Amino acid sequence: MGAEDRQPADTSGRKPRERRERIKGRVVDRGFVRIDQLADELGVTTMTIRRDLDHLQDRGWLRKVRGGATAQPSTAFHGDVRHRARAMTAEKDAIARAALPLVKPGQAVVIDDSTTALALTRLLDRHAPLTVITNFGPVTQTLADSPGIELISLGGTYYPAYDAFLGLRTVDAVASLSADTLFASTTAITRGHCYHQSQETVAVKRALMDACARKILLVDHTKFRRRGLYQLAPVTAFDLVIVDPGIPASDLDALQADGVEVLVARPEQPRP
């Protein structure tokens, strides 16, 4: 009998769904949690925790690593949307402020399933009236009660960990639309190309790019140090790239050498 089998069974009385919700919360809040810690805290065996982590990983909520689980993105894992929303918030806000003047009243604007573009969403009511098209749940929630905003939510297969609609049905929903401007982000930029961790995401983003007359890429400087599995498009496929002031000179020079139009957002000025 192994050490795992000698541990006590679940004495908490929690159902698997409730226990997995607690595991998700701990991983997102802490960034990384060890399997033995979770077993002790929840009163279950480490084997039970491993099964729970497999279940949550299969649904995109977290990533199993040696000895535990993490919410940090990787080449094959996009990261839980709550964890992503908490990262690089000052940089995302700077990018959003730089992008806002590009939105004109009366336009049809597409916002993709990125937390960088979500920062722009919170400012859009300043330029109403607008039509906003999105497949991202947080964008829909942010704009649901905004006066002057006509909101079009794209359907499809719902991915809870992304809080977004993705897949072929979403692509079909996009095909019938024509919009002025797309504000999108990407998981990683490598050798002048944008990458993502899922084919479903790539398919929808390509459809959104095809549906818009102007395509604007919003990226913070950390995207140039990440990796993704599936290639979306070259950065040159976007009409403008907006980056935060933290972008290294080498990355900025590489973009401009490729002929990419780049706007570096200004940092927020301290209030007097």
Side-chain angles (χ1 to χ4, degrees):
M1 182 178 293
E4 291 178 345
D5 296 323
R6 292 196 297 270
Q7 294 187 33
D10 187 348
T11 58
S12 65
R14 298 187 188 97
K15 296 180 179 179
R17 182 174 181 178
E18 178 186 352
R19 186 178 62 247
R20 289 164 184 166
E21 285 296 322
R22 293 172 69 92
I23 292 172
K24 280 182 351 188
R26 281 165 167 74
V27 174
V28 171
D29 290 342
R30 303 175 190 175
F32 170 80
V33 179
R34 294 186 58 82
I35 289 174
D36 53 1
Q37 287 178 315
L38 290 170
D40 288 343
E41 291 178 17
L42 299 176
V44 296
T45 66
T46 56
M47 184 62 72
T48 297
I49 295 297
R50 292 180 191 279
R51 287 195 294 265
D52 287 340
L53 295 180
D54 286 337
H55 176 90
L56 293 169
Q57 179 173 258
D58 289 344
R59 286 152 181 79
W61 289 110
L62 49 77
R63 177 167 57 101
K64 283 183 68 177
V65 294
R66 183 177 180 86
T70 180
Q72 294 284 350
S74 72
T75 301
F77 175 65
H78 196 206
D80 174 77
V81 66
R82 292 173 295 174
H83 179 82
R84 290 161 44 209
R86 297 174 185 174
M88 309 301 291
T89 55
E91 289 79 1
K92 291 172 183 175
D93 288 343
I95 292 168
R97 292 192 302 271
L100 185 61
L102 303 174
V103 179
K104 306 301 180 184
Q107 286 186 332
V109 174
V110 176
I111 305 293
D112 77 341
D113 60 314
S114 70
T115 57
T116 307
L118 178 61
L120 172 63
T121 301
R122 302 186 184 103
L123 307 177
L124 287 181
D125 57 356
R126 303 179 188 181
H127 287 206
L130 291 169
T131 298
V132 178
I133 303 163
T134 189
N135 64 318
F136 195 26
V139 172
T140 302
Q141 295 163 10
T142 299
L143 297 177
D145 297 322
S146 298
I149 302 290
E150 180 184 359
L151 184 60
I152 298 176
S153 182
L154 301 170
T157 301
Y158 180 66
Y159 286 67
Y162 294 178
D163 200 357
F165 291 94
L166 300 168
L168 294 179
R169 292 180 180 175
T170 311
V171 171
D172 290 342
V174 176
S176 62
L177 299 174
S178 179
D180 294 296
T181 306
L182 167 66
F183 291 97
S185 189
T186 190
T187 296
I189 296 178
T190 306
R191 296 184 296 277
H193 285 75
C194 301
Y195 286 82
H196 287 270
Q197 284 92 341
S198 78
Q199 297 181 72
E200 293 81 4
T201 300
V202 167
V204 171
K205 286 181 183 279
R206 285 178 178 169
L208 294 175
M209 292 173 69
D210 289 342
C212 295
R214 191 179 190 193
K215 295 166 279 291
I216 298 176
L217 184 65
L218 312 177
V219 287
D220 69 73
H221 66 275
T222 64
K223 303 298 176 65
F224 296 88
R225 297 294 177 265
R226 294 181 181 173
R227 295 293 182 268
L229 282 178
Y230 302 102
Q231 188 178 110
L232 169 63
V235 181
T236 53
F238 291 87
D239 300 289
L240 177 66
V241 177
I242 304 179
V243 298
D244 70 275
I247 182 172
S250 58
D251 292 326
L252 181 58
D253 291 344
L255 288 175
Q256 294 174 332
D258 287 339
V260 177
E261 183 178 354
V262 183
L263 172 61
V264 179
R266 295 181 180 180
E268 185 175 10
Q269 296 299 320
R271 296 181 179 180

